[in-house]
Amino acid sequence: WGMPFVYFWDSTVTVVNKAKNGRSTKTFISEGLWQSISDNIKPGDYVLIQFGHNDEAKDKVERYTTPEEYTANLLKFVNETKAKKGIPVLITPVSRRRFDKEGKATETHAEYSALVRNLAAKENTVLIDLDKLSMELYQQFGAENSKWLFLQLQANEHPNYPEGKNDNTHFNELGARLVAQLVLSEIKKQIPELAAHLVKPIVKK
């Protein structure tokens, strides 16, 4: 969702999207990605912090981060942002697409999202609960139609995926745009001083 997010802002805002596929808080630190952010934080910068998908992957030893480590790493990001007089914004991991037999969207990040919520409350940090908001979005679409938001492809439908794709984690362009708009709606509610820099549509008289 970070890719379409860049288009919402006027020329006074620079969006630097450092998200990288497959990274947990652990590997984001070990590969120097966090340091590249921390070194460049200026007073008044907003740092949007979202992890969880890869932290909770116990089958991927190089990525897996225990709940305690995950919390400590997020706290490191928050504290270093504040130390540079930046403004941290914690975001729960966006939900994967999963429905029960009754057609109800179900939790896919219960433990790690709760850790983000708890840390945000403890540190008095802005929280965008994207896990909850994205589940509500999928529910609006329903179990079948929500496939339209993800990389759900039949064989030979897309040249990059000749064998097809059944992906309930990664969004297509539509899904990314709608999830980015969820983040934007929360920024309007919680960070009005940042929302003041949104692109303003030209109204023809």
Side-chain angles (χ1 to χ4, degrees):
W1 63 264
M3 295 173 72
F5 189 74
V6 67
Y7 299 113
F8 296 150
W9 307 96
D10 65 26
S11 60
T12 66
V13 172
T14 300
V15 176
V16 179
N17 182 4
K18 289 278 189 173
K20 199 165 185 180
N21 187 48
R23 271 56 181 185
S24 64
T25 55
K26 177 182 177 180
T27 53
F28 204 77
I29 293 170
S30 66
E31 293 178 15
L33 291 165
W34 170 251
Q35 195 63 48
S36 73
I37 294 172
S38 182
D39 288 345
N40 290 286
I41 296 172
K42 303 290 189 296
D45 282 352
Y46 290 87
V47 181
L48 278 61
I49 303 164
Q50 182 190 47
F51 291 88
H53 285 80
N54 298 297
D55 291 86
E56 62 190 4
K58 291 183 178 179
D59 58 325
K60 303 285 178 62
V61 178
E62 73 284 356
R63 301 180 190 173
Y64 176 62
T65 313
T66 67
E68 294 77 17
E69 291 169 335
Y70 178 67
T71 302
N73 290 342
L74 291 179
L75 182 59
K76 169 184 171 70
F77 300 159
V78 167
N79 285 340
E80 291 188 15
T81 299
K82 289 180 177 178
K84 295 286 189 75
K85 298 190 181 338
I87 302 121
V89 178
L90 286 169
I91 306 177
T92 54
V94 64
S95 180
R96 292 184 170 93
R97 176 185 163 274
R98 184 186 297 166
F99 288 81
D100 62 20
K101 293 178 181 178
E102 284 71 46
K104 182 180 178 183
T106 60
E107 279 273 16
T108 58
H109 299 296
E111 182 179 13
Y112 281 65
S113 286
L115 295 171
V116 182
R117 295 182 190 112
N118 293 341
L119 183 64
K122 184 178 178 181
E123 298 299 318
N124 194 27
T125 301
V126 173
L127 172 73
I128 296 177
D129 197 345
L130 197 55
D131 190 5
K132 176 176 177 288
L133 293 169
S134 57
M135 283 177 62
E136 291 171 354
L137 176 67
Y138 308 157
Q139 193 67 62
Q140 289 171 16
F141 275 81
E144 188 62 30
N145 289 341
S146 58
K147 291 178 181 179
W148 289 98
L149 307 178
F150 292 84
L151 287 178
Q152 294 273 342
L153 301 166
Q154 299 297 321
N156 300 314
E157 186 178 347
H158 194 286
N160 290 351
Y161 304 97
E163 296 180 2
K165 189 81 171 171
N166 181 25
D167 187 332
N168 293 302
T169 298
H170 299 97
F171 300 108
N172 58 25
E173 189 173 346
L174 173 62
R177 175 79 185 199
L178 292 180
V179 171
Q181 287 177 193
L182 293 176
V183 176
L184 190 66
S185 68
E186 286 300 298
I187 287 173
K188 287 179 178 178
K189 292 175 188 174
Q190 300 193 58
I191 319 174
E193 59 274 21
L194 179 56
H197 297 278
L198 290 166
V199 170
K200 293 177 175 59
I202 298 172
V203 180
K204 294 183 179 179
K205 295 183 179 178

PDB file of all heavy atoms in Angstrom, residues 35-50:
ATOM      1  N   GLN A  35      18.762   1.741  10.018  1.00  0.00           N
ATOM      2  CA  GLN A  35      19.804   2.747  10.225  1.00  0.00           C
ATOM      3  C   GLN A  35      19.747   3.820   9.140  1.00  0.00           C
ATOM      4  O   GLN A  35      19.955   5.009   9.413  1.00  0.00           O
ATOM      5  CB  GLN A  35      21.180   2.092  10.228  1.00  0.00           C
ATOM      6  CG  GLN A  35      22.274   2.988  10.790  1.00  0.00           C
ATOM      7  CD  GLN A  35      22.049   3.343  12.256  1.00  0.00           C
ATOM      8  OE1 GLN A  35      21.768   2.467  13.074  1.00  0.00           O
ATOM      9  NE2 GLN A  35      22.147   4.624  12.583  1.00  0.00           N
ATOM     10  N   SER A  36      19.442   3.407   7.904  1.00  0.00           N
ATOM     11  CA  SER A  36      19.350   4.375   6.805  1.00  0.00           C
ATOM     12  C   SER A  36      18.196   5.345   7.003  1.00  0.00           C
ATOM     13  O   SER A  36      18.228   6.474   6.501  1.00  0.00           O
ATOM     14  CB  SER A  36      19.206   3.645   5.468  1.00  0.00           C
ATOM     15  OG  SER A  36      17.913   3.068   5.326  1.00  0.00           O
ATOM     16  N   ILE A  37      17.177   4.912   7.735  1.00  0.00           N
ATOM     17  CA  ILE A  37      16.068   5.808   8.083  1.00  0.00           C
ATOM     18  C   ILE A  37      16.465   6.696   9.254  1.00  0.00           C
ATOM     19  O   ILE A  37      16.351   7.917   9.204  1.00  0.00           O
ATOM     20  CB  ILE A  37      14.801   5.004   8.434  1.00  0.00           C
ATOM     21  CG1 ILE A  37      14.290   4.251   7.205  1.00  0.00           C
ATOM     22  CG2 ILE A  37      13.705   5.921   8.979  1.00  0.00           C
ATOM     23  CD1 ILE A  37      13.161   3.285   7.501  1.00  0.00           C
ATOM     24  N   SER A  38      16.948   6.055  10.328  1.00  0.00           N
ATOM     25  CA  SER A  38      17.294   6.772  11.550  1.00  0.00           C
ATOM     26  C   SER A  38      18.299   7.895  11.297  1.00  0.00           C
ATOM     27  O   SER A  38      18.189   8.991  11.847  1.00  0.00           O
ATOM     28  CB  SER A  38      17.854   5.786  12.579  1.00  0.00           C
ATOM     29  OG  SER A  38      18.151   6.432  13.792  1.00  0.00           O
ATOM     30  N   ASP A  39      19.275   7.616  10.436  1.00  0.00           N
ATOM     31  CA  ASP A  39      20.315   8.609  10.142  1.00  0.00           C
ATOM     32  C   ASP A  39      19.765   9.860   9.463  1.00  0.00           C
ATOM     33  O   ASP A  39      20.408  10.915   9.506  1.00  0.00           O
ATOM     34  CB  ASP A  39      21.391   7.999   9.234  1.00  0.00           C
ATOM     35  CG  ASP A  39      22.269   6.997   9.956  1.00  0.00           C
ATOM     36  OD1 ASP A  39      22.241   6.969  11.200  1.00  0.00           O
ATOM     37  OD2 ASP A  39      22.971   6.229   9.265  1.00  0.00           O
ATOM     38  N   ASN A  40      18.608   9.730   8.836  1.00  0.00           N
ATOM     39  CA  ASN A  40      18.084  10.826   8.028  1.00  0.00           C
ATOM     40  C   ASN A  40      16.828  11.480   8.579  1.00  0.00           C
ATOM     41  O   ASN A  40      16.235  12.341   7.922  1.00  0.00           O
ATOM     42  CB  ASN A  40      17.818  10.334   6.602  1.00  0.00           C
ATOM     43  CG  ASN A  40      19.100  10.051   5.848  1.00  0.00           C
ATOM     44  OD1 ASN A  40      19.804  10.961   5.436  1.00  0.00           O
ATOM     45  ND2 ASN A  40      19.428   8.769   5.679  1.00  0.00           N
ATOM     46  N   ILE A  41      16.406  11.079   9.773  1.00  0.00           N
ATOM     47  CA  ILE A  41      15.215  11.689  10.368  1.00  0.00           C
ATOM     48  C   ILE A  41      15.512  13.131  10.758  1.00  0.00           C
ATOM     49  O   ILE A  41      16.493  13.411  11.443  1.00  0.00           O
ATOM     50  CB  ILE A  41      14.739  10.893  11.602  1.00  0.00           C
ATOM     51  CG1 ILE A  41      14.289   9.486  11.201  1.00  0.00           C
ATOM     52  CG2 ILE A  41      13.582  11.624  12.304  1.00  0.00           C
ATOM     53  CD1 ILE A  41      13.999   8.573  12.383  1.00  0.00           C
ATOM     54  N   LYS A  42      14.645  14.024  10.320  1.00  0.00           N
ATOM     55  CA  LYS A  42      14.744  15.446  10.664  1.00  0.00           C
ATOM     56  C   LYS A  42      13.588  15.815  11.591  1.00  0.00           C
ATOM     57  O   LYS A  42      12.538  15.165  11.570  1.00  0.00           O
ATOM     58  CB  LYS A  42      14.682  16.310   9.401  1.00  0.00           C
ATOM     59  CG  LYS A  42      15.745  15.984   8.346  1.00  0.00           C
ATOM     60  CD  LYS A  42      17.140  16.393   8.809  1.00  0.00           C
ATOM     61  CE  LYS A  42      18.157  16.284   7.677  1.00  0.00           C
ATOM     62  NZ  LYS A  42      18.347  14.909   7.184  1.00  0.00           N
ATOM     63  N   PRO A  43      13.759  16.862  12.419  1.00  0.00           N
ATOM     64  CA  PRO A  43      12.661  17.293  13.289  1.00  0.00           C
ATOM     65  C   PRO A  43      11.377  17.533  12.481  1.00  0.00           C
ATOM     66  O   PRO A  43      11.415  18.161  11.422  1.00  0.00           O
ATOM     67  CB  PRO A  43      13.188  18.596  13.893  1.00  0.00           C
ATOM     68  CG  PRO A  43      14.672  18.434  13.899  1.00  0.00           C
ATOM     69  CD  PRO A  43      14.983  17.675  12.637  1.00  0.00           C
ATOM     70  N   GLY A  44      10.300  16.960  12.974  1.00  0.00           N
ATOM     71  CA  GLY A  44       9.012  17.129  12.302  1.00  0.00           C
ATOM     72  C   GLY A  44       8.688  16.059  11.284  1.00  0.00           C
ATOM     73  O   GLY A  44       7.566  16.021  10.767  1.00  0.00           O
ATOM     74  N   ASP A  45       9.642  15.165  10.997  1.00  0.00           N
ATOM     75  CA  ASP A  45       9.369  14.068  10.068  1.00  0.00           C
ATOM     76  C   ASP A  45       8.422  13.056  10.714  1.00  0.00           C
ATOM     77  O   ASP A  45       8.564  12.727  11.901  1.00  0.00           O
ATOM     78  CB  ASP A  45      10.658  13.341   9.680  1.00  0.00           C
ATOM     79  CG  ASP A  45      11.480  14.087   8.655  1.00  0.00           C
ATOM     80  OD1 ASP A  45      10.993  15.106   8.122  1.00  0.00           O
ATOM     81  OD2 ASP A  45      12.619  13.647   8.391  1.00  0.00           O
ATOM     82  N   TYR A  46       7.507  12.527   9.933  1.00  0.00           N
ATOM     83  CA  TYR A  46       6.638  11.438  10.381  1.00  0.00           C
ATOM     84  C   TYR A  46       7.248  10.119   9.909  1.00  0.00           C
ATOM     85  O   TYR A  46       7.609   9.976   8.742  1.00  0.00           O
ATOM     86  CB  TYR A  46       5.229  11.596   9.811  1.00  0.00           C
ATOM     87  CG  TYR A  46       4.482  12.754  10.411  1.00  0.00           C
ATOM     88  CD1 TYR A  46       4.603  14.034   9.878  1.00  0.00           C
ATOM     89  CD2 TYR A  46       3.663  12.588  11.528  1.00  0.00           C
ATOM     90  CE1 TYR A  46       3.931  15.115  10.433  1.00  0.00           C
ATOM     91  CE2 TYR A  46       2.992  13.659  12.092  1.00  0.00           C
ATOM     92  CZ  TYR A  46       3.128  14.921  11.542  1.00  0.00           C
ATOM     93  OH  TYR A  46       2.469  15.991  12.098  1.00  0.00           O
ATOM     94  N   VAL A  47       7.354   9.157  10.832  1.00  0.00           N
ATOM     95  CA  VAL A  47       7.910   7.850  10.501  1.00  0.00           C
ATOM     96  C   VAL A  47       6.812   6.812  10.727  1.00  0.00           C
ATOM     97  O   VAL A  47       6.433   6.532  11.865  1.00  0.00           O
ATOM     98  CB  VAL A  47       9.149   7.530  11.349  1.00  0.00           C
ATOM     99  CG1 VAL A  47       9.725   6.169  10.956  1.00  0.00           C
ATOM    100  CG2 VAL A  47      10.211   8.619  11.180  1.00  0.00           C
ATOM    101  N   LEU A  48       6.295   6.275   9.639  1.00  0.00           N
ATOM    102  CA  LEU A  48       5.235   5.271   9.705  1.00  0.00           C
ATOM    103  C   LEU A  48       5.876   3.899   9.809  1.00  0.00           C
ATOM    104  O   LEU A  48       6.654   3.495   8.936  1.00  0.00           O
ATOM    105  CB  LEU A  48       4.340   5.361   8.460  1.00  0.00           C
ATOM    106  CG  LEU A  48       3.236   6.435   8.484  1.00  0.00           C
ATOM    107  CD1 LEU A  48       3.811   7.831   8.623  1.00  0.00           C
ATOM    108  CD2 LEU A  48       2.364   6.345   7.226  1.00  0.00           C
ATOM    109  N   ILE A  49       5.557   3.184  10.894  1.00  0.00           N
ATOM    110  CA  ILE A  49       6.242   1.942  11.256  1.00  0.00           C
ATOM    111  C   ILE A  49       5.246   0.786  11.226  1.00  0.00           C
ATOM    112  O   ILE A  49       4.314   0.738  12.035  1.00  0.00           O
ATOM    113  CB  ILE A  49       6.859   2.056  12.660  1.00  0.00           C
ATOM    114  CG1 ILE A  49       7.826   3.259  12.720  1.00  0.00           C
ATOM    115  CG2 ILE A  49       7.553   0.764  13.049  1.00  0.00           C
ATOM    116  CD1 ILE A  49       8.180   3.688  14.137  1.00  0.00           C
ATOM    117  N   GLN A  50       5.442  -0.141  10.281  1.00  0.00           N
ATOM    118  CA  GLN A  50       4.542  -1.295  10.176  1.00  0.00           C
ATOM    119  C   GLN A  50       5.339  -2.560   9.877  1.00  0.00           C
ATOM    120  O   GLN A  50       6.031  -2.650   8.859  1.00  0.00           O
ATOM    121  CB  GLN A  50       3.500  -1.086   9.076  1.00  0.00           C
ATOM    122  CG  GLN A  50       2.511  -2.248   8.985  1.00  0.00           C
ATOM    123  CD  GLN A  50       1.628  -2.167   7.756  1.00  0.00           C
ATOM    124  OE1 GLN A  50       2.096  -1.938   6.646  1.00  0.00           O
ATOM    125  NE2 GLN A  50       0.340  -2.334   7.967  1.00  0.00           N
TER     126      GLN A  50
END
